[in-house]
Structures are given as C-alpha cells and as structure tokens.
Amino acid sequence: MARQSISLTEPNDEWLKAQVDSQEYASKSELVNDLIRQARKQQAEIDWVRTKLEKAEKSGFTSLTKEQILAEAKASING
C-alpha cells in the first residue's frame, strides 16, 4: 500500500479526529480512503451523466416520456 504525507488545515484535522474518536472509523487513513472512494464513485456518476447528456444533445428529440427516461437512467446506474 502506498504511503503519503499530507498537510491538513486545523478544522479538517479536528473533524478527522472526531470521526475516529466516535469510532466511526478505526483510523484517519481508513476515513481518508473512504472519502476518496466516495469521491471517485461520485465522479464516475457525474461522468456517466455528462456522457448521456452529450449523447442526448447530439441525437436530437426522443419519443420517450420523462418517466421512461428516468427509469432507463436508474436502470443504467444500478447496473
């Protein structure tokens, strides 16, 4: 596993300590890794939406209802 040294602002460090102290996480490293996983997942979802929007803009109009479009989008996200 790669090791990194990072500098945190005091409020961010205090927040990390509070999360560990509340036993939400076992260590700051575990928490930081979880935050990064969440950010990566969020970015993947944003990229997916962006790709869909770009494709939709290029394809023109659709005959699908908004409910059908929403159902299709949810199905694609949930795999």
Side-chain angles (χ1 to χ4, degrees):
M1 187 174 296
R3 294 183 57 85
Q4 296 288 317
S5 174
I6 60 171
S7 299
L8 302 167
T9 62
E10 188 170 332
N12 287 343
D13 188 47
E14 291 300 320
W15 184 82
L16 287 172
K17 286 179 187 176
Q19 298 305 303
V20 173
D21 290 346
S22 71
Q23 299 181 339
E24 190 74 25
Y25 294 90
S27 68
K28 288 181 186 179
S29 293
E30 181 184 328
L31 173 54
V32 169
N33 275 308
D34 188 43
L35 292 171
I36 292 170
R37 276 190 294 276
Q38 290 176 36
R40 291 173 65 193
K41 180 180 178 194
Q42 182 181 35
Q43 187 61 53
E45 291 170 354
I46 290 169
D47 292 344
W48 180 86
V49 169
R50 182 174 288 124
T51 299
K52 286 293 194 179
L53 288 172
E54 289 171 355
K55 182 180 176 185
E57 287 174 349
K58 292 176 184 173
S59 70
F61 292 97
T62 181
S63 59
L64 298 176
T65 67
K66 63 182 177 182
E67 290 81 11
Q68 291 170 318
I69 293 169
L70 181 59
E72 189 178 290
K74 286 181 179 180
S76 296
I77 289 174
N78 294 329

